[in-house]
Amino acid sequence: PRRSRSPPPAGDVEHPIGTAYFEVVEAMKSAAGDTWRAEMQVPRPASNQYQKGGFMTVRGPRRGSKGLAEEDGEKMESATRESGIDGCRKMQRELNKGRIYSGASRPAD
């Protein structure tokens, strides 16, 4: 998959160190064509004094348009600001329940 933009370096002006952000990336191609998804980068604290913190990626569902994936990213970002990683994961589950299959039939659960 190709990214719509590369991840920012640590301390980037747009995304300061320790700040959650999302980006829209190209997802796997489907029978219906190109698909996109939002990837939320959430700060992960250091687990101990020897391991530095980093980011954890929370991925939204595949969408048939960049616009829908952008909306997913905004929802996950808002949930992260309100409730941290738990809120982001909860929003991820909600978005995955209502995912859109553009042109393709829904797979059996």
Side-chain angles (χ1 to χ4, degrees):
R2 290 189 332 228
R3 296 187 181 278
S4 59
R5 63 180 185 185
S6 59
D12 186 314
V13 174
E14 187 178 351
H15 304 289
I17 295 173
T19 302
Y21 65 93
F22 76 92
E23 58 188 352
V24 173
V25 299
E26 188 175 354
M28 293 175 55
K29 292 194 182 286
S30 71
D34 291 338
T35 58
W36 305 89
R37 73 173 54 200
E39 289 188 349
M40 186 76 202
Q41 305 296 327
V42 184
R44 182 182 44 136
S47 59
N48 59 45
Q49 66 184 13
Y50 303 107
Q51 181 182 12
K52 64 181 182 176
F55 282 89
M56 182 171 81
T57 303
V58 179
R59 293 177 178 87
R62 289 188 304 161
R63 299 294 191 188
S65 76
K66 265 184 156 178
L68 290 173
E70 184 85 20
E71 289 176 19
D72 290 347
E74 290 168 0
K75 289 176 184 177
M76 288 193 298
E77 187 174 50
S78 177
T80 302
R81 270 191 254 112
E82 292 175 17
S83 305
I85 186 64
D86 291 336
C88 186
R89 295 300 298 258
K90 182 177 179 184
M91 180 55 67
Q92 177 193 36
R93 287 190 298 275
E94 288 176 24
L95 291 169
N96 280 323
K97 284 181 187 175
R99 65 183 164 231
I100 297 172
Y101 297 91
S102 35
S105 61
R106 183 180 173 133
D109 289 345

